[in-house]
Amino acid sequence: MSVDIRAAGAVIWRRRSHRLEVLIVHRPTWKDWSFPKGKVKGEETLHECCIREMKEETGHDVVLGAPLGWQHYTVGGGKSKEVRYWAATVAGKGHPALAARRKAHPASKKEIDDVRWVTVKEAHKLLTRKGDRKMLDHLTDLDNRGLACTTPVLIARHARATKRSVHKGPEQTRPLTKTGQARAKRLVTLFAAYGVEKVVSSPWKRCVDTVAPYAKAAGLGVDEREELTEASHSRKPKKTAAALGRVLCAGEPAVVCVHRPTLPTALEVLEDVTAPRLRRQLPRKDPWLRTGEIMVVHVAKKKGECVVVAFEKIRPAM
């Protein structure tokens, strides 16, 4: 179904004195209290839009957490609008992801004239839209289950590479095509939106070159792991699984770039820490991920164990 207006927003949260607080904004034109949100501009992805709007409307740099759902409604002129929401937290000063983001300019006082941290109880009273209260309920449900604090782990299939039949050198030196290089650059802001602090990759050129633009922009190194190569996976898939499991449960926002043949093993690792009701969201056939596509895995720790809270499958437009 086509939508006239696409937008993104977030429920920015923190904990103070053991109480959950959320950030709400006041819009003088509409005389309402809401969660910060805004419309997609140009070729922005929803993730880029969300990060920009949070900075413009609240003054905070945030990192995205688990998705909370969508709001769908009709605005002036009968146009359809959908808004996607995430949980989000404020990024610390000097966070490496901030260096990889585009600049944003503060919203005018005519657009946003007050920004306020409030308790969940206060938010329910102040929020004008029923849809916003529904997003709040999604967050509090996660919090009540001990799953609000999540770490994103992004599993990336490398971007498009030169065909095997065309490349004359060793397999591990096969490079990205121009389209693949453009995709790698496009992934920078996506990785930044999730606050990636650790960049892990197969050492083969097409994988390293997929994550290198972000690593450079964020001032990070690339942790190259031989266990993630196609050749190593073919010989010892259990070592590949163990390497992926360590990244998944390390508690650090990370991206790990892998090859198509290793993806079935990656999915097996995910299934082991995913509740049955969520497993059906995992892809079941090849291609599990297309070239340059990302699986965002939102991982929480509960009683010392890794628990997958949500999945997102993303392929940014060129």
Side-chain angles (χ1 to χ4, degrees):
M1 183 179 71
S2 63
V3 176
D4 298 310
I5 302 170
R6 297 167 63 245
V11 182
I12 305 172
W13 67 278
R14 69 182 184 185
R15 200 174 299 283
R16 286 291 183 273
S17 301
H18 305 292
R19 292 195 308 179
L20 187 68
E21 295 183 343
V22 294
L23 198 62
I24 60 175
V25 298
H26 186 261
R27 302 187 301 170
T29 300
W30 302 101
K31 298 180 181 179
D32 70 359
W33 286 96
S34 68
F35 289 124
K37 65 178 181 298
K39 293 183 288 187
V40 169
K41 292 183 178 179
E43 297 300 316
E44 278 184 331
T45 64
L46 286 170
H47 305 81
E48 291 167 341
C49 170
C50 188
I51 294 299
R52 175 183 55 75
E53 287 288 344
M54 298 309 101
K55 181 67 172 179
E56 290 178 355
E57 294 197 353
T58 73
H60 290 296
D61 292 298
V62 305
V63 291
L64 301 183
L68 297 177
W70 300 79
Q71 288 191 43
H72 300 269
Y73 49 94
T74 302
V75 295
K79 292 184 177 180
S80 59
K81 182 176 181 178
E82 67 175 16
V83 189
R84 188 175 190 188
Y85 286 85
W86 286 267
T89 53
V90 176
K93 290 184 178 180
H95 193 296
L98 303 186
R101 294 182 179 178
R102 301 185 180 114
K103 290 184 178 180
H105 303 285
S108 72
K109 290 294 183 180
K110 292 182 179 180
E111 185 179 354
I112 302 293
D113 64 355
D114 196 2
V115 179
R116 189 181 300 180
W117 285 103
V118 296
T119 65
V120 171
K121 185 176 181 180
E122 291 168 332
H124 265 287
K125 290 180 180 179
L126 289 170
L127 288 168
T128 305
R129 294 185 58 86
K130 180 180 178 181
D132 281 353
R133 294 192 292 275
K134 184 178 179 181
M135 296 301 113
L136 179 60
D137 289 341
H138 286 178
L139 176 66
T140 54
D141 176 62
L142 287 174
D143 189 56
N144 290 336
R145 292 188 285 137
L147 302 175
C149 187
T150 58
T151 300
V153 177
L154 285 66
I155 298 175
R157 180 181 171 186
H158 65 73
R160 186 173 299 173
T162 302
K163 291 183 178 180
R164 297 176 195 266
S165 59
V166 174
H167 183 60
K168 301 186 184 300
E171 176 62 18
Q172 60 265 35
T173 65
R174 188 153 57 94
L176 299 180
T177 63
K178 288 185 178 180
T179 298
Q181 292 170 14
R183 175 74 65 188
K185 291 178 180 177
R186 195 72 177 88
L187 290 171
V188 170
T189 52
L190 176 62
F191 297 160
Y194 288 99
V196 166
E197 299 179 49
K198 181 79 173 179
V199 180
V200 181
S201 176
S202 156
W204 288 10
K205 183 173 176 58
R206 55 189 178 274
C207 274
V208 173
D209 287 355
T210 296
V211 294
Y214 175 75
K216 181 178 180 181
L220 300 170
V222 178
D223 182 358
E224 300 179 17
R225 301 192 186 182
E226 187 66 30
E227 310 96 296
L228 300 177
T229 66
E230 286 187 33
S232 179
H233 176 262
S234 178
R235 294 192 303 269
K236 297 180 178 180
K238 288 185 179 180
K239 280 197 170 184
T240 304
L244 289 167
R246 286 192 293 272
V247 175
L248 189 69
C249 294
E252 187 173 16
V255 58
V256 53
C257 191
V258 296
H259 305 268
R260 182 193 60 78
T262 66
L263 286 170
T265 295
L267 294 174
E268 289 175 4
V269 172
L270 291 177
E271 285 186 344
D272 287 342
V273 291
T274 302
R277 65 183 179 83
L278 281 178
R279 287 177 191 164
R280 62 178 177 269
Q281 295 182 18
L282 292 169
R284 294 295 176 185
K285 60 182 181 179
D286 191 4
W288 298 275
L289 294 176
R290 293 184 290 168
T291 53
E293 196 165 38
I294 312 297
M295 174 76 77
V296 184
V297 186
H298 296 276
V299 185
K301 285 286 184 73
K302 190 170 185 179
K303 297 181 180 179
E305 299 292 329
C306 292
V307 180
V308 173
V309 174
F311 295 107
E312 297 179 79
K313 196 175 178 184
I314 306 166
R315 184 178 175 85
M318 296 294 286

